[in-house]
Amino acid sequence: MQQVTLNDCDKAMPVIGMGTASSSRPASTADSSETVKSALLEAIKAGYRHFDTAFIYPSEKPLGEAIAKALHLGLIKSRDELFITTKLWCTFAQRDQVVHACKLSLQKLQLEYVDMYLVHQPLRISETIQKLPVPKEIIHQLDIKSVWEGMEECKSLGLTKGIGVSNFSCKKLEKLLSIAKIPPAVNQVEMNPIWQQKQLREFCNAKGIHITAYSPLGANNTSWGDNRVVECDVLTEIAKSKGKTTAQVALRWVYEQGVTVVTKSFNKERMKENLQIFDWSLSEQDLKIISELPQRRGFGMASLYGPHDFLLQLDAEI
Ligand SMILES: NC(=O)C1=CN([C@@H]2O[C@H](COP(=O)(O)OP(=O)(O)OC[C@H]3O[C@@H](n4cnc5c(N)ncnc54)[C@H](OP(=O)(O)O)[C@@H]3O)[C@@H](O)[C@H]2O)C=CC1
Ligand SMILES: O=C[C@H](O)[C@@H](O)[C@@H](O)[C@H](O)C(=O)O
């Protein structure tokens, strides 16, 4: 698997990672922990070496179990062969909670360190979310200076090899860069041919912040996404002409932008399909047509938590 080197991170990141945000809403249809564990074990067998989880996902524990089993079975010789990303949840987004939250994630993962620890969203949430949408009173501005000090402490304690953010706009990154002793290595954001993030990518390239794309397939078939990417006519035409699938064209496009990707599949065939993007390429003409696709964000804070002014402003930030 090809890898990219990251600034201020002691480990290279494989260019394709396995997503683990699998639980559907309603929760009654969510994958069981056992299903997630065996899917992740399959992913290791298929060659995935980067896994993306978060404190808020139910996947940290089954991922830890899958890693332990992979070591036991000899599928990997050492934990060092894996790149594990997890994320600080918004209820812990305070100076004195960050190290504690990181340790809780490590406990669930049965690991001594993660490779990348991200601030999940540019928000603090003051109560456990019971149901969505949430009341606006529990959503707050993030005090990035103090939270980032906590993130830096996680790195200096060796709890993580690198630190970064997720769902951050250029504006939020500017602020963070102005106070950070260790700049963020990564910004993980929604990116696919229908939400190309041109401005954010230019900004991050200029500042040496690596972008990882989440929902590269538009979160097809999930409660938070739809089929706008995998059923996009333009992408399907390109796919047909190359004997590839529409999903592969979307993933290849992301890869050709110099961006790493985390994409989720718990289906054995599709997890293999999603790795087959390295021995072919898109033409200049394909890239031009894709660059002209109408743009639509899939995932916004306001659509997730409720149309509160503060969240609408956040979503409108570039
Ligand atoms: N930082 C953040 O705020 C966020 C991070 N993420 C991370 O990014 C990961 C990936 O994003 P995600 O939102 O899951 O969406 P993706 O775009 O990766 O799409 C996943 C969905 O597409 C289906 N799928 C996978 N491969 C194919 C294929 N080849 N053809 C057709 N359908 C396919 C999967 O189903 P099946 O399993 O049946 O194959 C699943 O339903 C998440 O799992 C999570 O780890 C996601 C959202 C927000
Ligand atoms: O309740 C909120 C949700 O958990 C949500 O914010 C995250 O899970 C996000 O969709 C992600 O997948 O990273």
Side-chain angles (χ1 to χ4, degrees):
M1 169 76 70
Q2 296 178 41
Q3 300 183 330
V4 291
T5 51
L6 304 168
N7 289 333
D8 294 294
C9 179
D10 312 334
K11 184 109 152 248
M13 180 192 259
V15 297
I16 300 187
M18 174 55 67
T20 67
S22 72
S23 56
S24 315
R25 298 181 186 107
S28 55
T29 61
D31 289 325
S32 72
S33 189
E34 208 42 53
T35 306
V36 177
K37 178 181 165 186
S38 51
L40 296 177
L41 206 56
E42 276 307 325
I44 294 176
K45 285 183 194 160
Y48 286 84
R49 292 294 179 265
H50 176 189
F51 290 85
D52 180 75
T53 183
F55 180 87
I56 194 69
Y57 304 165
S59 57
E60 276 186 331
K61 191 161 177 286
L63 175 56
E65 289 166 0
I67 296 169
K69 186 140 184 207
L71 283 165
H72 179 72
L73 294 174
L75 298 174
I76 46 170
K77 289 197 185 67
S78 139
R79 176 264 176 267
D80 286 355
E81 292 172 33
L82 301 177
F83 191 102
I84 306 297
T85 295
T86 194
K87 313 184 194 91
L88 173 80
W89 185 237
C90 307
T91 49
F92 296 103
Q94 295 189 88
R95 176 67 185 92
D96 59 349
Q97 294 282 306
V98 181
V99 168
H100 168 66
C102 187
K103 286 181 177 167
L104 288 178
S105 285
L106 290 173
Q107 216 172 6
K108 285 197 279 175
L109 286 161
Q110 302 178 47
L111 296 178
E112 285 175 5
Y113 66 89
V114 286
D115 300 283
M116 187 54 61
Y117 195 44
L118 305 177
V119 177
H120 199 147
Q121 294 172 354
L123 293 174
R124 180 170 74 81
I125 299 182
S126 51
E127 280 174 33
T128 305
I129 295 175
Q130 304 291 354
K131 62 180 172 62
L132 296 166
V134 302
K136 67 173 189 301
E137 292 70 29
I138 73 165
I139 303 209
H140 310 273
Q141 297 265 13
L142 184 70
D143 178 357
I144 188 60
K145 186 171 186 302
S146 65
V147 168
W148 197 251
E149 277 170 20
M151 297 294 285
E152 289 171 334
E153 190 182 349
C154 290
K155 181 160 158 58
S156 59
L157 289 171
L159 304 178
T160 183
K161 304 252 178 217
I163 49 177
V165 294
S166 179
N167 299 298
F168 269 46
S169 61
C170 301
K171 189 176 167 194
K172 292 271 177 299
L173 289 170
E174 284 275 20
K175 168 93 191 184
L176 173 53
L177 289 171
S178 74
I179 55 95
K181 291 193 192 76
I182 305 172
V186 166
N187 186 19
Q188 184 186 109
V189 294
E190 177 187 359
M191 182 181 149
N192 56 54
I194 309 291
W195 191 240
Q196 300 186 3
Q197 301 272 22
K198 283 185 191 156
Q199 268 176 289
L200 185 66
R201 279 193 279 135
E202 269 171 34
F203 179 88
C204 287
N205 280 342
K207 303 289 181 186
I209 301 171
H210 182 76
I211 293 213
T212 297
Y214 74 67
S215 303
L217 307 177
N220 175 43
N221 222 7
T222 70
S223 53
W224 61 93
D226 57 38
N227 58 9
R228 69 195 181 283
V229 173
V230 296
E231 290 187 11
C232 167
D233 292 344
V234 169
L235 300 179
T236 302
E237 277 306 308
I238 295 173
K240 271 192 202 147
S241 74
K242 300 193 143 44
K244 304 293 171 194
T245 66
T246 312
Q248 287 173 322
V249 168
L251 294 170
R252 176 77 201 183
W253 176 83
V254 174
Y255 168 68
E256 289 194 17
Q257 310 313 304
V259 162
T260 53
V261 13
V262 284
T263 189
K264 176 261 172 187
S265 181
F266 286 179
N267 170 282
K268 220 167 152 174
E269 298 314 313
R270 286 190 289 278
M271 58 175 81
K272 285 185 194 148
E273 173 186 328
N274 295 348
L275 290 178
Q276 305 306 315
I277 62 159
F278 296 114
D279 57 353
W280 55 280
S281 59
L282 295 166
S283 67
E284 285 295 318
Q285 180 64 9
D286 297 334
L287 293 171
K288 182 172 182 302
I289 297 171
I290 295 174
S291 76
E292 289 162 359
L293 282 171
Q295 296 295 291
R296 180 162 67 85
R297 175 206 290 271
F299 190 86
M301 297 297 146
S303 56
L304 179 64
Y305 295 122
H308 311 312
D309 286 349
F310 166 58
L311 297 176
L312 291 164
Q313 276 165 24
L314 205 63
D315 287 342
E317 270 179 21
I318 296 172

